[in-house]
Amino acid sequence: MTTNQRLSPGDTAPEFTLPDADGNNVSLAGYRGRKVIVYFYPAASTPGCTKEACDFRDNLADLDGAGIDVIGISPDKPAKLAKFRDAEQLSFPLLSDPDRSVLTAWGAYGEKTMYGKTVVGVIRSTFLVDEEGRIAVAQYNVRATGHVAKLRRDLSV
């Protein structure tokens, strides 16, 4: 059994540069000076991931007004992310991590329990990174439904 390295508030957020849905590289460093929500989800266009992405989309104006950007990361290839973005009218970056190196560095890939069985996969997780690149909030095993509303309450947005 492997143990997942988990991030905690105060930790430096692991840097990344990943391709977005259009193949353009996006780096966490590009968000210095602003807060950014980085969330990890298992697969584009699945029911739970669609619900979560649409919740972020529907709350984007309020999050932006509070100085918070949003980035979604999954193992999907850019072409699948582009279809997902277009189908759901998502206006925040969706990044591709097919080798799961960023997912692993953030503790969002590893053993989890699904339907009573231990499996290895993407652990639905959400982080708030502060203006200096430190983890302000680290949430693992979040629920797709209602998660964004809870996050907004927690952040007073």
Side-chain angles (χ1 to χ4, degrees), residues 94-152:
L94 299 176
L95 307 184
S96 173
D97 183 25
D99 69 3
R100 297 164 181 81
S101 60
V102 174
L103 285 148
T104 301
W106 286 65
Y109 185 80
E111 288 186 353
K112 63 181 183 175
T113 303
M114 235 171 91
Y115 307 113
K117 293 186 177 206
T118 300
V119 297
V120 175
V122 176
I123 299 162
R124 191 181 304 277
S125 308
T126 300
F127 304 87
L128 177 67
V129 180
D130 70 16
E131 298 89 342
E132 286 80 44
R134 294 206 170 277
I135 301 293
V137 174
Q139 299 176 338
Y140 291 93
N141 298 308
V142 300
R143 299 182 65 82
T145 303
H147 167 60
V148 176
K150 181 186 180 315
L151 187 62
R152 284 190 58 175

Side-chain angles (χ1 to χ4, degrees), residues 21-22 80-91 94:
D22 297 316
K80 185 174 180 188
L81 295 176
K83 285 182 187 173
F84 182 44
R85 176 199 62 203
D86 296 346
E88 303 304 332
Q89 301 176 337
L90 304 174
S91 58
L94 299 176

